[in-house]
Amino acid sequence: MPEIIECREFEELSVRVSALLQDGELRLDERITTKGYLTATMRGGQIALRATRFVGTIPLTPDLAVRVVPRATIANLSYMLVRSGVIPSAISGFARGYMPRFVATDNAERIYARSLIDGVKLIARRGYMKEYLPPKHQAPWRGRLLASDTVRKHASKGIRYRHEFEQNVLTPSTIENIALKMALKQVIDWLSENDRRNAMLPEARGLYRDMWHISDWDGAKSDLVRQLSRKIHTLSPRLPHYRDPLWSAYLILQSVLPELSFDGFVRLDSLIIDVSKVFEAFLRRELAARLAEHGYRVQDGNTAPRPFFRDGGVFSVHPDMIICRGDEVIAVLDAKYKPDPKESDRYEVLSFMDAMPVSLGGFVCPADGVDTSRFLGTTASGKEMVLLRYDLAAVDPDVEADRFAANVLRMIDGAHDYT
């Protein structure tokens, strides 16, 4: 297990240079240096690393990793991730422990496809496990006669001449291999429908074709998942290369993500999450679902930008949440995953309100335990600005989302006090 250093988002930590040396050279994991998960500077003979907006366990070298935790207390990061629709980055081949609790999602195939494919490749190189199992179609008058079974099953029912033979053959069609094959087929179907140009698709198809000698599952998927769960926990120590791909198959077959907020014993790919992006998308979806019944629409200004100048031009504005009634824009909100908006943030929201144009706008920030949602003030030109809080540590996320939507409706109605 690598050494793990923990810090919070946007915090800085120092790492001795010798800890990053491999064969006398300074080397960092290439998957990290190109993604901007951490920034690095040299200071006083040490590497100063600063966490950015990403959280998760980030490998630096095979022997050292940084675990970045959210700066805001988040009760259920997995729930937010699923509801936001944001797909995290999976660091294939670098595992961390998760609690054995899961949250339903619709993109487990995209997240864990790489891990499953790499795992099945390794298994194929080493050879698929085999067991002595009863064949699907047993040949008559072949095998070992079971006298006791004959008495128990047939003689007790008045059948005198029925016989039972026990037949076993050495086969790769074990629960483990069948589950891998079925999960691979699910990945192929998902990529074919949602991401046909993905380079993983031909890899998955080639591996699936090479599993022709493994039987397909002809029962309910739930039965396969239940048996797979038992098999994973009793996996032979001689087959350690099976464990990670089987857990990936388990998640894919159930379309679930692990609970990300706590450490546990389930070893899975480390997921790197842009929490600010998740926060924004999560708020927008929760608000849109709750305002629809009141006749409002919530648009994403990042996908539908508005021109900054009336006569067009190259400049545009991108509010996180544009609240409309019909074709009329009522208000704009900007999600800021930080304790408080800065002065530059206020100017940014004012530019959104000018471009729409609307006289009502503001921010949504995580609750900090002290400050509450409040009216910020009215500008000289009559624009009203508010600061709404969302409690990411709420025990019941649905109740908190209802409270947030109620505050937005109060803002639209012109109220200056919030719950």
Side-chain angles (χ1 to χ4, degrees):
M1 293 295 297
E3 178 187 355
I4 297 180
I5 307 172
E6 186 170 297
C7 71
R8 291 188 175 274
E9 288 176 279
F10 301 101
E11 282 186 354
E12 187 177 282
L13 67 155
S14 297
V15 180
R16 63 189 185 279
V17 176
S18 59
L20 305 177
L21 294 177
Q22 299 180 62
D23 300 325
E25 295 184 17
L26 184 63
R27 297 180 185 174
L28 293 177
D29 194 305
E30 292 181 357
R31 295 168 297 184
I32 304 308
T33 55
T34 59
K35 298 293 185 180
Y37 297 143
L38 298 167
T39 61
T41 56
M42 193 75 168
R43 185 185 305 155
Q46 290 189 321
I47 302 292
L49 298 174
R50 178 174 289 278
T52 58
R53 63 184 188 276
F54 298 95
V55 303
T57 303
I58 303 172
L60 300 178
T61 71
D63 302 316
L64 182 65
V66 176
R67 181 169 181 251
V68 184
V69 298
R71 59 184 172 184
T73 303
I74 302 177
N76 195 329
L77 183 55
S78 300
Y79 176 84
M80 282 182 58
L81 189 65
V82 169
R83 294 287 291 173
S84 70
V86 175
I87 299 178
S89 300
I91 307 298
S92 180
F94 186 86
R96 61 152 282 193
Y98 297 93
M99 289 289 287
R101 291 161 42 193
F102 305 98
V103 179
T105 183
D106 58 1
N107 51 34
E109 295 87 353
R110 176 66 183 86
I111 297 169
Y112 286 102
R114 181 77 271 161
S115 181
L116 177 68
I117 290 170
D118 290 345
V120 174
K121 280 183 179 179
L122 178 60
I123 291 171
R125 286 198 302 269
R126 295 189 179 184
Y128 291 98
M129 65 183 296
K130 295 181 180 181
E131 288 183 7
Y132 281 99
L133 299 170
K136 269 189 176 182
H137 306 290
Q138 296 189 0
W141 299 101
R142 180 180 177 184
R144 183 164 63 98
L145 178 63
L146 301 179
S148 61
D149 284 2
T150 297
V151 173
R152 183 173 62 254
K153 292 183 179 180
H154 306 305
S156 61
K157 299 177 182 178
I159 302 174
R160 300 179 58 189
Y161 303 107
R162 186 71 59 85
H163 56 268
E164 290 286 339
F165 285 92
E166 181 186 57
Q167 299 178 25
N168 287 319
V169 295
L170 187 62
T171 173
S173 296
T174 64
I175 292 296
E176 294 88 342
N177 291 332
I178 291 174
L180 291 173
K181 183 178 182 180
M182 190 169 180
L184 205 58
K185 180 63 166 60
Q186 194 166 314
V187 166
I188 292 170
D189 292 342
W190 191 92
L191 291 176
S192 298
E193 182 177 350
N194 299 283
D195 194 3
R196 296 182 61 86
R197 296 185 179 182
N198 196 304
M200 291 188 290
L201 184 56
E203 288 184 74
R205 284 173 171 164
L207 288 170
Y208 184 79
R209 285 194 299 268
D210 292 341
M211 299 177 81
W212 60 268
H213 57 302
I214 297 172
S215 300
D216 295 324
W217 183 255
D218 53 8
K221 185 192 290 188
S222 58
D223 292 337
L224 176 61
V225 170
R226 185 166 55 252
Q227 294 188 48
L228 175 61
S229 176
R230 291 197 298 267
K231 291 289 187 177
I232 293 177
H233 289 96
T234 59
L235 189 66
S236 170
R238 295 177 298 173
L239 300 169
H241 56 294
Y242 261 85
R243 188 172 301 279
D244 289 348
L246 284 179
W247 274 116
S248 297
Y250 183 79
L251 298 181
I252 290 170
L253 290 173
Q254 293 191 102
S255 296
V256 294
L257 282 179
E259 171 53 61
L260 304 173
S261 302
F262 305 99
D263 286 335
F265 64 86
V266 178
R267 306 296 299 173
L268 294 165
D269 285 348
S270 179
L271 299 184
I272 310 298
I273 303 162
D274 184 343
V275 185
S276 61
K277 196 172 182 180
V278 171
F279 180 63
E280 172 195 322
F282 172 72
L283 290 178
R284 185 165 46 244
R285 289 202 177 192
E286 295 297 287
L287 187 61
R290 286 161 173 79
L291 292 194
E293 60 188 77
H294 297 278
Y296 296 101
R297 292 183 298 111
V298 179
Q299 295 181 335
D300 180 1
N302 299 293
T303 58
R306 305 298 176 94
F308 185 77
F309 296 112
R310 286 185 176 181
D311 54 356
V314 297
F315 302 106
S316 58
V317 295
H318 311 78
D320 293 333
M321 287 164 273
I322 305 173
I323 302 172
C324 306
R325 183 191 289 119
D327 295 329
E328 180 188 4
V329 178
I330 304 299
V332 295
L333 287 171
D334 211 40
K336 295 296 181 184
Y337 182 68
K338 57 177 68 172
D340 287 290
K342 297 180 180 178
E343 183 178 5
S344 58
D345 298 324
R346 293 195 292 271
Y347 293 145
E348 182 183 32
V349 168
L350 282 174
S351 71
F352 295 162
M353 297 164 72
D354 272 337
M356 290 297 114
V358 291
S359 59
L360 188 59
F363 308 93
V364 187
C365 296
D368 58 5
V370 178
D371 200 4
T372 58
S373 299
R374 68 185 193 275
F375 177 67
L376 294 179
T378 305
T379 67
S381 59
K383 291 182 172 54
E384 296 186 347
M385 192 174 293
V386 302
L387 170 59
L388 302 180
R389 297 284 185 180
Y390 194 101
D391 187 2
L392 298 176
V395 176
D396 190 331
D398 287 327
V399 171
E400 178 61 17
D402 290 340
R403 187 189 69 83
F404 169 58
N407 278 338
V408 172
L409 288 172
R410 291 181 64 80
M411 176 191 75
I412 293 173
D413 292 338
H416 291 170
D417 58 318
Y418 305 100
T419 58

